Amino acid sequence: MSSTYSEFVTEVQSIADISFAAGVLNWDQETYMPQGGAGLRARQLATLAGLVHERATGGKLGSLLEVLGKDVSLDEVQRCNVKYVNKQYQRALKLPREFVVEMSHTVSEALSVWQQAKPAGNFEAFAPHLEKIVNLKRRECELLGYTAHPYDALLDEFEPGLTTAEVEQLFADVRKDLVPFVKQIAQQAPHSDELLKKHYPKDKQFAFSETLLRIIGFDFGTGRQDISLHPFTINFGATDVRVTTKIDEHNLSDMLTGTIHEGGHALYEQGLPANGYGLPSGEYVSLGIHESQSRLWENNVGRSLEFCKAIMPQLQAAFPEQMNGHSANDLFQALNVVRPSLIRIMADELTYHFHIMVRFETEKALIEGSLAVKDVPGFWNSRVREYLGIDVPHHGAGCLQDVHWSHGSLGYFPTYSIGSFYAAQFFAAAEKQIDGLHEQIERGELKSLLQWLREHIHRHGKQYSARELCERITGEPLSFSYFMQYARKKYGSLYQL
Ligand code: CO
């Protein structure tokens, strides 16, 4: 190994040390920190963020990158590490310091205004802040540069290489196939999810969620689970991965699906190469690929009839009264109720994508300048009526419902849908390549599926782009058709279509 390369690794890993230390503070803030800790914690996090920014844009890293960019002796993994760190470095250099500072002030102000405006449904209060954010984001697109559409520059931050045109094509397919399919389902007699709405005590739910994590292969030697208001996964390297779950005593579904979802994110982090600590070779590919792992476990596995059969005996043992007289099929039906609703995070796995479509169309129109901020509610409500068939009674349940815009995270939403579409395509490949996968799931044996994901996705870190990974695994680029096949098969049988 060249001495410049090892100097580079030391520098990048020590920046990662600071980031992961900030991550521990973030995790603590969401789980165990007393309320009184908030003020000092914000200060501690800001100091660490400043240190990371300074080092990650610093001259030392810059000169190392310059030398290594011309080093022909690097191997494939080393080249990958230099390439991605350089991409981040160049990106950061394109954004002047005053721009970064203005953005950070704007979003912290916007966040506190949004927190008040959402419950009040007061769009007028939030509008001037959204206006500032949109203007800054439009400037960011120009500073970063793009070829076809300014929104491409925003997508690239979360899903490198994904273009606006590709997202438009995927959603055109959603409109053509999934929107009418959901209308067909809505005409059938709905299944009941009463089974999941009984009283399920918190402690027993938590114990069961740990059972679920064990079933899917989560390693408690390199991870732990706690409770938080919003479930999340965070890691401080591949050997320390934390998940949280949310428990509602009157909704078992939150815990079941939430635990498997975060567990899927965690399995990815636990499967990344530990020798790539802090380096791109030890990092996830993109948010879409990360989400593909959580959704594959949550939806393709967790909401399947086979998985319901696998866990029913344990559920009956943990909740004998609540589950009395219920079959795996009852659980399968209850976990797959399709019902158009207003709130994205409560949506079923089909109508979920309509929510993302509304957000993508709104963001794209704002960034290209074809929609004014004051017209967002009208634009939003008309799309919700068109795709979901419902009226928005209150902006808090409409265009003000999500936190992303007040964080300045425009371009993020599409990765949620992309994740589900990748999941369906990967799972279809796994079905072909793993003998008797469905029978294994039904027996609660998930080792070979996890092994398959480790082999084809996890162990590669960032070595392949999302596009390359998808083609290597499935032989073709991302296509909505796999999700649609999955939906037709599962919901066709559930609703006799
Ligand atoms: Co997720």
Side-chain angles (χ1 to χ4, degrees):
M1 198 190 291
S2 84
S3 66
T4 315
Y5 184 76
S6 59
E7 232 185 293
F8 162 80
V9 169
T10 307
E11 179 65 10
V12 174
Q13 288 184 328
S14 71
I15 298 171
D17 291 336
I18 309 172
S19 284
F20 287 136
V24 180
L25 294 183
N26 260 316
W27 169 83
D28 172 71
Q29 178 171 305
E30 303 289 330
T31 50
Y32 294 108
M33 188 187 76
Q35 241 181 358
L40 288 176
R41 184 54 49 87
R43 181 199 148 112
Q44 294 152 355
L45 285 168
T47 300
L48 292 178
L51 279 177
V52 169
H53 183 79
E54 218 170 275
R55 296 276 293 274
T57 55
K60 181 171 180 195
L61 186 59
S63 12
L64 289 167
L65 284 167
E66 209 180 311
V67 176
L68 292 169
K70 295 176 211 132
D71 188 342
V72 290
S73 72
L74 299 181
D75 67 24
E76 212 179 328
V77 174
Q78 295 172 335
R79 271 204 309 274
C80 155
N81 286 334
V82 171
K83 181 178 112 184
Y84 282 106
V85 172
N86 191 48
K87 191 181 171 198
Q88 282 308 108
Y89 187 80
Q90 298 304 332
R91 188 180 195 280
L93 288 188
K94 287 180 187 168
L95 303 177
R97 205 187 139 69
E98 42 85 22
F99 176 84
V100 176
V101 171
E102 195 182 344
M103 182 66 95
S104 123
H105 284 297
T106 306
V107 298
S108 76
E109 227 177 80
L111 183 63
S112 67
V113 173
W114 172 78
Q115 282 162 346
Q116 315 265 319
K118 176 183 165 169
N122 186 354
F123 184 76
E124 284 66 37
F126 184 59
H129 298 271
L130 183 57
E131 180 107 46
K132 269 193 212 165
I133 289 173
V134 169
N135 287 335
L136 283 167
K137 282 287 160 183
R138 294 183 63 179
R139 205 172 129 218
E140 186 177 314
C141 297
E142 298 308 320
L143 289 165
L144 293 173
Y146 53 86
T147 13
H149 193 286
Y151 192 74
D152 291 351
L154 301 183
L155 283 173
D156 192 63
E157 186 185 347
F158 306 109
E159 195 61 27
L162 182 70
T163 66
T164 310
E166 286 171 301
V167 180
E168 279 177 322
Q169 181 55 56
L170 290 164
F171 283 138
D173 293 341
V174 170
R175 267 194 302 274
K176 179 166 74 68
D177 296 328
L178 192 59
V179 171
F181 186 61
V182 167
K183 287 196 174 127
Q184 256 182 294
I185 294 176
Q187 285 159 8
Q188 309 302 311
H191 290 303
S192 164
D193 55 1
E194 283 310 302
L195 167 62
L196 302 172
K197 303 285 166 68
K198 298 180 183 179
H199 182 248
Y200 292 92
K202 190 173 173 181
D203 292 353
K204 288 197 170 163
Q205 282 204 47
F206 189 74
F208 194 81
S209 72
E210 295 204 326
T211 303
L212 274 179
L213 288 175
R214 281 195 185 90
I215 292 174
I216 66 172
F218 180 85
D219 176 2
F220 280 89
T222 59
R224 60 173 284 132
Q225 180 182 245
D226 295 270
I227 289 181
S228 67
L229 204 54
H230 301 288
F232 66 92
T233 305
I234 192 168
N235 73 302
F236 322 123
T239 51
D240 189 350
V241 180
R242 312 289 175 96
V243 287
T244 67
T245 194
K246 176 191 155 198
I247 296 194
D248 175 345
E249 293 207 319
H250 296 278
N251 186 352
L252 190 68
S253 168
D254 271 11
M255 180 279 286
L256 290 176
T257 59
T259 299
I260 305 176
H261 182 98
E262 298 309 325
H265 279 304
L267 290 176
Y268 186 15
E269 293 289 349
Q270 289 183 328
L272 288 166
N275 63 7
Y277 171 79
L279 298 165
S281 58
E283 252 171 24
Y284 68 94
V285 177
S286 67
L287 285 184
I289 297 297
H290 222 311
E291 196 69 8
S292 79
Q293 300 306 289
S294 58
R295 302 233 173 172
L296 184 145
W297 286 101
E298 178 194 347
N299 296 332
N300 303 82
V301 176
R303 290 182 209 264
S304 69
L305 179 57
E306 292 83 358
F307 191 75
C308 291
K309 286 182 181 165
I311 64 168
M312 201 56 188
Q314 279 143 301
L315 261 181
Q316 276 164 337
F319 306 103
E321 274 173 45
Q322 296 90 330
M323 290 289 159
N324 185 26
H326 285 289
S327 66
N329 200 52
D330 295 342
L331 178 64
F332 176 54
Q333 291 183 350
L335 281 174
N336 290 292
V337 169
V338 174
R339 191 187 292 139
S341 61
L342 286 164
I343 308 297
R344 175 183 65 85
I345 58 169
M346 314 274 277
D348 58 80
E349 63 171 327
L350 300 188
T351 60
Y352 186 87
H353 302 293
F354 306 164
H355 293 267
I356 301 302
M357 217 152 59
V358 173
R359 285 152 182 77
F360 166 68
E361 287 173 15
T362 309
E363 290 185 353
K364 179 183 156 260
L366 284 169
I367 291 300
E368 70 193 15
S370 62
L371 176 68
V373 165
K374 69 172 170 48
D375 298 325
V376 164
F379 183 91
W380 180 285
N381 296 353
S382 75
R383 294 299 189 281
V384 170
R385 167 125 283 281
E386 188 183 340
Y387 304 143
L388 289 150
I390 42 182
D391 291 317
V392 177
H394 181 266
H395 297 320
C399 62
L400 285 178
Q401 67 181 271
D402 290 309
V403 69
H404 301 58
W405 292 346
S406 55
H407 281 159
S409 295
L410 280 81
Y412 192 115
F413 284 119
T415 67
Y416 292 128
S417 284
I418 298 286
S420 288
F421 305 160
Y422 272 130
Q425 194 161 339
F426 293 158
F427 194 75
E431 281 175 320
K432 273 191 217 134
Q433 294 171 28
I434 303 172
D435 262 347
L437 176 61
H438 291 273
E439 291 75 13
Q440 292 182 30
I441 297 177
E442 194 171 326
R443 292 193 300 267
E445 293 168 16
L446 294 152
K447 273 209 178 71
S448 25
L449 178 60
L450 179 56
Q451 205 44 52
W452 188 89
L453 294 167
R454 292 263 193 265
E455 168 73 20
H456 292 91
I457 300 170
H458 304 176
R459 74 183 173 98
H460 298 299
K462 258 189 170 57
Q463 195 176 346
Y464 304 110
S465 68
R467 196 184 309 272
E468 288 165 346
L469 201 61
C470 187
E471 294 204 8
R472 279 175 63 95
I473 298 170
T474 72
E476 55 184 308
L478 177 62
S479 153
F480 176 68
S481 63
Y482 291 94
F483 183 86
M484 203 54 221
Q485 278 167 31
Y486 156 75
R488 282 194 202 285
K489 189 167 170 228
K490 177 159 136 187
Y491 292 90
S493 84
L494 272 163
Y495 292 93
Q496 281 87 46
L497 295 171

